[in-house]
Amino acid sequence: MDFTKLADLAGGHAGARAIQVALRLGLFEALAHRPLEADALARAIGCDARAIALLANAMAALGLLAKNAGALSLTPASRRFLLAASPEYLGGMILFDEAIFPLWTRLEDAIRTGRPVRAPDMFQSRREETARFIRAMDSLVQARGDALWAAQNLDLSGIRTIADLGGGPGTYLLEFLRRYPALKGALLDLPATLEVAREILNERDPAIAARIELVEYDYRNRELPAGFDAIFLSNVIHSEDEPTNRALLQRCYRGLVRGGMVLIKDHIMNAELTEPAAGAVFSLYLLLTTAGRDYSFEEVARWLREAGFGAIDCQALPSPPFSSSVVTARKN
Ligand SMILES: C[S@@+](CC[C@H](N)C(=O)[O-])C[C@H]1O[C@@H](n2cnc3c(N)ncnc32)[C@H](O)[C@@H]1O
C-alpha cells in the first residue's frame, strides 16, 4: 500500500463527517433548483458564510458540488444520491451513520472489553431511532440496487409463499412481489420495525403493500407461523452470535415445506474472515452494537447442514457496487 492510500484510509472520518453535516444542514437541497454563491447558500440554510464557503469547497473537492466562478451547483452524483426526492437517495443511510458516529469514538472500549458499547436492542427502544435505522436500510438498498438485483437474479419461480424474516423496511419483498405477480409475501419482524415498514411500503407502492402480510415475530423465541415455500434472511445473521444463528436456521428448517428454500443474503466472508474488506470493517460496527459479526461461507454452511438442509450453494453479487453474497439451501 502506498502513502496516499493509507493516508486516505486513516483520515477518512474527516470527509465522511463533512458529507454528513452538509446533508444534515440541507446544503444539497438548497442547490436543487439553482446554483448559488457561498454567501447566498449560507443565508439559505442559516449558517456562517465563511464556514459554508469552506464546507462547499470541500464538497467540490470530493466531487459532490461543482464550482464555477464562485457559483456552486450539484454534480450528477449529488443529484442522484443526495436529494431526498431521488429514488436512489442514500441520505437515510448517511444520516444514520451521522447519528451513530459517537459510537465509533468508543471502539477502543469495545475492543478492550469485547462487548457492545450500547444496548444491543436493534434500535427498537425509541421510535425515532427505529425509524432512522429502518429507513437507513431502505435507503442503502434502494441506492445500491440490491433488491432489484435480487428480484432479477434469484430464481423464485414455482414459489407461492415467501417469508422475509427480519425483513425491516420490506425493500426486498416489494421487489420480489413486483417480479412475481402470483407470489404472496409475509414480512416477519419486531413490532417497532413493522410500524415503520407499514409507512414505507404504503408510501412506495400501496398495491404491492396490500399483498404483504406484516407479522409480529421474534425469531429468538418463537417458531415460524406457517409452512413457507421460501424464507429470505437479509442482513440478519450478522447481528447474532453463533448459537442464536444455529437455532434460527433450525427454526427456518421447521418453518419450510419439504423442498422449500432458505436464502441468506449477507457479507459472506472468506475462511480467514478478511474478505470482502467491507465485511471485515463492518464487523467492527457489529462489535459496537450487537453480539454478531460477519460469518464465513464455511460457518453458515455448517449451521445449514446441522439443521438438515442440503443443496447448499453460494452466489456472490457483482462487486462493485455490491459486497454481499446469497447462500441458498433446500429442506431435504
Ligand atoms: C440489519 S436489518 C436488515 C433489514 C432487511 N432485511 C435488509 O436487509 O435491508 C435487521 C432486521 O432484523 C430485525 N430483527 C432484529 N432482531 C429480530 C428478532 N429477534 N426477531 C425478528 N426480527 C428481528 C430488525 O428489526 C431489522 O429489521
Side-chain angles (χ1 to χ4, degrees):
M1 175 182 303
D2 66 11
F3 169 83
T4 307
K5 170 92 173 145
L6 175 60
D8 280 355
L9 284 173
H13 62 285
R17 202 65 194 117
I19 294 170
Q20 291 163 9
V21 169
L23 188 73
R24 165 166 292 290
L25 291 172
L27 181 145
F28 302 105
E29 297 291 344
L31 296 170
H33 302 297
R34 74 261 184 252
L36 291 174
E37 298 206 349
D39 283 5
L41 177 59
R43 278 195 301 280
I45 59 178
C47 293
D48 177 78
R50 176 175 173 274
I52 281 296
L54 297 178
L55 183 60
N57 289 342
M59 291 304 103
L62 295 177
L64 294 174
L65 290 183
K67 188 175 179 187
N68 285 311
L72 298 157
S73 57
L74 298 181
T75 60
S78 50
R79 197 167 280 289
R80 181 173 172 198
F81 294 119
L82 299 178
L83 291 183
S86 165
E88 293 168 293
Y89 179 58
L90 184 61
M93 188 66 210
I94 294 172
L95 293 175
F96 174 70
D97 275 334
E98 197 225 0
I100 62 160
F101 204 83
L103 300 180
W104 285 101
T105 66
R106 301 188 54 203
L107 181 61
E108 183 181 340
D109 294 343
I111 300 285
R112 288 190 185 281
T113 63
R115 286 197 298 275
V117 297
R118 73 188 298 282
D121 66 348
M122 293 306 287
F123 304 97
Q124 297 290 304
S125 310
R126 294 174 47 213
R127 198 185 145 74
E128 71 272 19
E129 278 190 356
T130 312
R132 188 163 48 216
F133 172 56
I134 295 303
R135 285 192 179 269
M137 301 303 100
D138 181 55
S139 163
L140 178 63
V141 168
Q142 286 281 104
R144 197 169 48 196
D146 303 57
L148 212 51
W149 184 93
Q152 286 168 354
N153 292 280
L154 300 175
D155 184 7
L156 301 182
S157 48
I159 286 172
R160 289 156 306 171
T161 56
I162 185 165
D164 189 357
L165 186 44
T171 324
Y172 288 92
L173 200 49
L174 196 132
E175 291 299 342
F176 291 151
L177 267 61
R178 278 183 176 155
R179 167 87 171 77
Y180 294 95
L183 185 61
K184 282 195 179 139
L187 179 62
L188 278 62
D189 210 305
L190 301 170
T193 291
L194 290 184
E195 262 186 54
V196 185
R198 187 172 289 111
E199 284 170 14
I200 293 175
L201 290 168
N202 285 320
E203 281 162 20
R204 187 151 308 143
D205 194 332
I208 300 278
R211 286 168 52 206
I212 296 178
E213 190 187 357
L214 300 184
V215 182
E216 280 187 22
Y217 177 70
D218 184 340
Y219 58 64
R220 285 165 176 263
N221 53 33
R222 265 181 54 202
E223 288 299 302
L224 278 156
F228 292 102
D229 294 331
I231 299 175
F232 181 69
L233 299 118
S234 167
N235 293 334
V236 168
I237 60 169
H238 67 214
S239 299
E240 303 294 351
D241 62 15
E242 296 168 48
T244 307
N245 281 329
R246 248 197 205 98
L248 174 57
L249 295 182
Q250 286 165 9
R251 285 211 163 99
C252 287
Y253 190 85
R254 292 193 290 273
L256 283 167
V257 299
R258 183 160 290 243
M261 177 165 56
V262 67
L263 304 99
I264 302 168
K265 181 176 181 294
D266 224 304
H267 288 130
I268 300 295
M269 305 299 294
N270 64 355
E272 302 279 14
L273 303 176
T274 54
E275 290 192 5
V281 175
F282 186 67
S283 284
L284 294 176
Y285 160 75
L286 296 171
L287 172 72
L288 289 169
T289 56
T290 72
R293 64 172 167 83
D294 281 319
Y295 295 98
S296 70
F297 174 66
E298 288 77 4
E299 291 172 298
V300 177
R302 189 170 64 241
W303 303 332
L304 287 166
R305 271 195 306 275
E306 285 169 8
F309 286 99
I312 300 167
D313 202 1
C314 183
Q315 181 182 8
L317 276 68
S319 167
F322 304 109
S323 52
S324 57
S325 303
V326 181
V327 177
T328 52
R330 290 262 175 201
K331 176 167 176 169
N332 288 318

Short mmCIF file of all heavy atoms in Angstrom, two decimals, residues 122 124 133-134 137 141 166-169 172 189-190 193 217-220 234-236 238 240, ligand 1:
data_model
loop_
_atom_site.label_atom_id
_atom_site.label_comp_id
_atom_site.label_asym_id
_atom_site.label_seq_id
_atom_site.Cartn_x
_atom_site.Cartn_y
_atom_site.Cartn_z
N MET A 122 -31.19 -3.56 18.66
CA MET A 122 -31.57 -3.40 17.24
C MET A 122 -32.41 -2.13 17.05
O MET A 122 -33.32 -2.08 16.22
CB MET A 122 -32.34 -4.62 16.72
CG MET A 122 -31.51 -5.88 16.66
SD MET A 122 -29.98 -5.69 15.71
CE MET A 122 -30.61 -5.62 14.04
N GLN A 124 -34.70 -0.75 18.76
CA GLN A 124 -36.15 -0.95 18.94
C GLN A 124 -36.71 -0.13 20.11
O GLN A 124 -37.91 -0.07 20.30
CB GLN A 124 -36.45 -2.44 19.21
CG GLN A 124 -36.10 -3.36 18.06
CD GLN A 124 -37.02 -3.20 16.87
OE1 GLN A 124 -38.23 -3.31 16.98
NE2 GLN A 124 -36.44 -2.91 15.71
N PHE A 133 -33.11 3.89 11.73
CA PHE A 133 -32.41 2.65 11.39
C PHE A 133 -33.07 1.95 10.19
O PHE A 133 -32.42 1.59 9.21
CB PHE A 133 -32.42 1.74 12.63
CG PHE A 133 -31.90 0.35 12.41
CD1 PHE A 133 -30.64 0.11 11.89
CD2 PHE A 133 -32.67 -0.75 12.76
CE1 PHE A 133 -30.16 -1.19 11.71
CE2 PHE A 133 -32.21 -2.05 12.59
CZ PHE A 133 -30.95 -2.26 12.05
N ILE A 134 -34.38 1.81 10.25
CA ILE A 134 -35.08 1.06 9.20
C ILE A 134 -35.08 1.85 7.88
O ILE A 134 -34.89 1.29 6.81
CB ILE A 134 -36.51 0.70 9.67
CG1 ILE A 134 -36.42 -0.28 10.86
CG2 ILE A 134 -37.34 0.09 8.54
CD1 ILE A 134 -35.63 -1.56 10.58
N MET A 137 -31.73 1.30 6.23
CA MET A 137 -31.62 0.04 5.49
C MET A 137 -32.26 0.20 4.11
O MET A 137 -31.72 -0.22 3.09
CB MET A 137 -32.32 -1.10 6.24
CG MET A 137 -31.84 -1.42 7.64
SD MET A 137 -30.10 -1.80 7.73
CE MET A 137 -29.42 -0.27 8.30
N VAL A 141 -30.28 0.08 0.37
CA VAL A 141 -30.64 -0.95 -0.61
C VAL A 141 -31.22 -0.30 -1.89
O VAL A 141 -30.93 -0.73 -3.01
CB VAL A 141 -31.63 -1.95 0.03
CG1 VAL A 141 -32.27 -2.86 -1.00
CG2 VAL A 141 -30.89 -2.78 1.09
N GLY A 166 -36.97 -10.88 9.46
CA GLY A 166 -36.14 -9.71 9.79
C GLY A 166 -36.08 -8.81 8.57
O GLY A 166 -35.06 -8.23 8.25
N GLY A 167 -37.23 -8.69 7.91
CA GLY A 167 -37.30 -8.03 6.59
C GLY A 167 -37.19 -6.52 6.66
O GLY A 167 -37.09 -5.87 5.62
N GLY A 168 -37.23 -5.94 7.86
CA GLY A 168 -37.04 -4.49 8.02
C GLY A 168 -38.03 -3.69 7.20
O GLY A 168 -39.25 -3.89 7.32
N PRO A 169 -37.54 -2.82 6.33
CA PRO A 169 -38.45 -1.94 5.57
C PRO A 169 -39.24 -2.67 4.50
O PRO A 169 -40.17 -2.09 3.91
CB PRO A 169 -37.50 -0.93 4.93
CG PRO A 169 -36.16 -1.59 4.90
CD PRO A 169 -36.11 -2.52 6.09
N TYR A 172 -36.84 -5.59 -0.13
CA TYR A 172 -36.65 -6.79 -0.97
C TYR A 172 -37.98 -7.43 -1.33
O TYR A 172 -38.22 -7.79 -2.47
CB TYR A 172 -35.78 -7.82 -0.23
CG TYR A 172 -34.33 -7.43 -0.12
CD1 TYR A 172 -33.87 -6.74 0.99
CD2 TYR A 172 -33.42 -7.74 -1.13
CE1 TYR A 172 -32.54 -6.37 1.10
CE2 TYR A 172 -32.09 -7.39 -1.03
CZ TYR A 172 -31.65 -6.69 0.08
OH TYR A 172 -30.34 -6.32 0.19
N ASP A 189 -41.13 -9.42 11.52
CA ASP A 189 -40.14 -8.58 12.21
C ASP A 189 -40.72 -8.13 13.55
O ASP A 189 -41.86 -8.45 13.90
CB ASP A 189 -39.79 -7.36 11.32
CG ASP A 189 -38.35 -6.88 11.54
OD1 ASP A 189 -38.01 -6.59 12.70
OD2 ASP A 189 -37.59 -6.79 10.57
N LEU A 190 -39.93 -7.37 14.28
CA LEU A 190 -40.33 -6.88 15.61
C LEU A 190 -41.34 -5.74 15.44
O LEU A 190 -41.35 -5.06 14.40
CB LEU A 190 -39.09 -6.41 16.38
CG LEU A 190 -38.04 -7.51 16.58
CD1 LEU A 190 -36.74 -6.94 17.12
CD2 LEU A 190 -38.58 -8.59 17.52
N THR A 193 -40.30 -2.13 14.28
CA THR A 193 -39.86 -2.13 12.88
C THR A 193 -41.06 -2.20 11.94
O THR A 193 -41.11 -1.51 10.92
CB THR A 193 -38.92 -3.32 12.62
OG1 THR A 193 -37.69 -3.09 13.31
CG2 THR A 193 -38.62 -3.50 11.14
N TYR A 217 -43.07 -10.86 14.95
CA TYR A 217 -42.38 -12.13 15.16
C TYR A 217 -41.00 -11.88 15.73
O TYR A 217 -40.25 -11.04 15.22
CB TYR A 217 -42.27 -12.88 13.82
CG TYR A 217 -41.51 -14.18 13.92
CD1 TYR A 217 -42.06 -15.26 14.59
CD2 TYR A 217 -40.25 -14.31 13.37
CE1 TYR A 217 -41.36 -16.46 14.70
CE2 TYR A 217 -39.54 -15.50 13.46
CZ TYR A 217 -40.10 -16.57 14.14
OH TYR A 217 -39.41 -17.74 14.26
N ASP A 218 -40.67 -12.58 16.81
CA ASP A 218 -39.32 -12.50 17.39
C ASP A 218 -38.64 -13.85 17.15
O ASP A 218 -39.02 -14.86 17.75
CB ASP A 218 -39.44 -12.20 18.89
CG ASP A 218 -38.08 -12.02 19.54
OD1 ASP A 218 -37.06 -12.48 18.97
OD2 ASP A 218 -38.02 -11.42 20.62
N TYR A 219 -37.66 -13.86 16.27
CA TYR A 219 -37.06 -15.15 15.89
C TYR A 219 -36.22 -15.77 17.00
O TYR A 219 -35.79 -16.91 16.89
CB TYR A 219 -36.25 -15.04 14.59
CG TYR A 219 -35.11 -14.04 14.58
CD1 TYR A 219 -34.02 -14.17 15.41
CD2 TYR A 219 -35.13 -12.96 13.69
CE1 TYR A 219 -32.97 -13.26 15.38
CE2 TYR A 219 -34.09 -12.04 13.67
CZ TYR A 219 -33.01 -12.19 14.51
OH TYR A 219 -31.98 -11.29 14.49
N ARG A 220 -36.01 -15.02 18.08
CA ARG A 220 -35.23 -15.61 19.17
C ARG A 220 -36.05 -16.59 19.99
O ARG A 220 -35.50 -17.47 20.63
CB ARG A 220 -34.73 -14.52 20.13
CG ARG A 220 -33.59 -13.73 19.56
CD ARG A 220 -33.39 -12.48 20.38
NE ARG A 220 -32.24 -11.77 19.89
CZ ARG A 220 -31.03 -11.86 20.42
NH1 ARG A 220 -30.82 -12.60 21.47
NH2 ARG A 220 -30.03 -11.18 19.91
N SER A 234 -32.06 -11.34 5.00
CA SER A 234 -31.02 -10.43 4.52
C SER A 234 -30.48 -9.61 5.69
O SER A 234 -31.26 -8.96 6.41
CB SER A 234 -31.59 -9.48 3.45
OG SER A 234 -30.70 -8.43 3.22
N ASN A 235 -29.19 -9.65 5.86
CA ASN A 235 -28.53 -8.87 6.91
C ASN A 235 -29.13 -9.14 8.29
O ASN A 235 -29.37 -8.22 9.06
CB ASN A 235 -28.59 -7.37 6.59
CG ASN A 235 -27.74 -7.06 5.36
OD1 ASN A 235 -26.79 -7.78 5.05
ND2 ASN A 235 -28.10 -6.01 4.65
N VAL A 236 -29.41 -10.40 8.54
CA VAL A 236 -29.97 -10.80 9.83
C VAL A 236 -28.93 -11.57 10.65
O VAL A 236 -28.65 -11.22 11.80
CB VAL A 236 -31.24 -11.66 9.62
CG1 VAL A 236 -31.68 -12.33 10.91
CG2 VAL A 236 -32.37 -10.79 9.08
N HIS A 238 -25.84 -11.54 10.68
CA HIS A 238 -24.63 -10.82 11.14
C HIS A 238 -24.83 -10.10 12.47
O HIS A 238 -23.86 -9.69 13.09
CB HIS A 238 -24.10 -9.86 10.05
CG HIS A 238 -24.99 -8.69 9.71
ND1 HIS A 238 -25.07 -8.18 8.43
CD2 HIS A 238 -25.80 -7.91 10.46
CE1 HIS A 238 -25.88 -7.14 8.43
NE2 HIS A 238 -26.34 -6.97 9.64
N GLU A 240 -26.27 -11.53 15.06
CA GLU A 240 -26.48 -12.53 16.11
C GLU A 240 -25.22 -13.36 16.35
O GLU A 240 -24.39 -13.50 15.45
CB GLU A 240 -27.63 -13.47 15.70
CG GLU A 240 -28.95 -12.76 15.42
CD GLU A 240 -29.56 -12.11 16.67
OE1 GLU A 240 -29.06 -12.34 17.80
OE2 GLU A 240 -30.53 -11.36 16.51
C1 LIG B 1 -29.99 -5.01 9.52
S1 LIG B 1 -31.73 -5.08 9.47
C2 LIG B 1 -32.00 -5.86 7.91
C3 LIG B 1 -33.28 -5.45 7.27
C4 LIG B 1 -33.54 -6.05 5.87
N1 LIG B 1 -33.62 -7.50 5.93
C5 LIG B 1 -32.46 -5.61 4.90
O1 LIG B 1 -31.58 -6.39 4.56
O2 LIG B 1 -32.49 -4.45 4.50
C6 LIG B 1 -32.09 -6.39 10.64
C7 LIG B 1 -33.58 -6.60 10.81
O3 LIG B 1 -33.77 -7.68 11.73
C8 LIG B 1 -34.82 -7.33 12.60
N2 LIG B 1 -34.68 -8.09 13.85
C9 LIG B 1 -33.72 -7.95 14.79
N3 LIG B 1 -33.91 -8.82 15.80
C10 LIG B 1 -35.02 -9.53 15.49
C11 LIG B 1 -35.74 -10.58 16.15
N4 LIG B 1 -35.33 -11.05 17.33
N5 LIG B 1 -36.84 -11.07 15.54
C12 LIG B 1 -37.26 -10.58 14.35
N6 LIG B 1 -36.62 -9.59 13.67
C13 LIG B 1 -35.52 -9.06 14.24
C14 LIG B 1 -34.67 -5.83 12.78
O4 LIG B 1 -35.85 -5.23 13.26
C15 LIG B 1 -34.30 -5.40 11.37
O5 LIG B 1 -35.44 -5.15 10.60
#
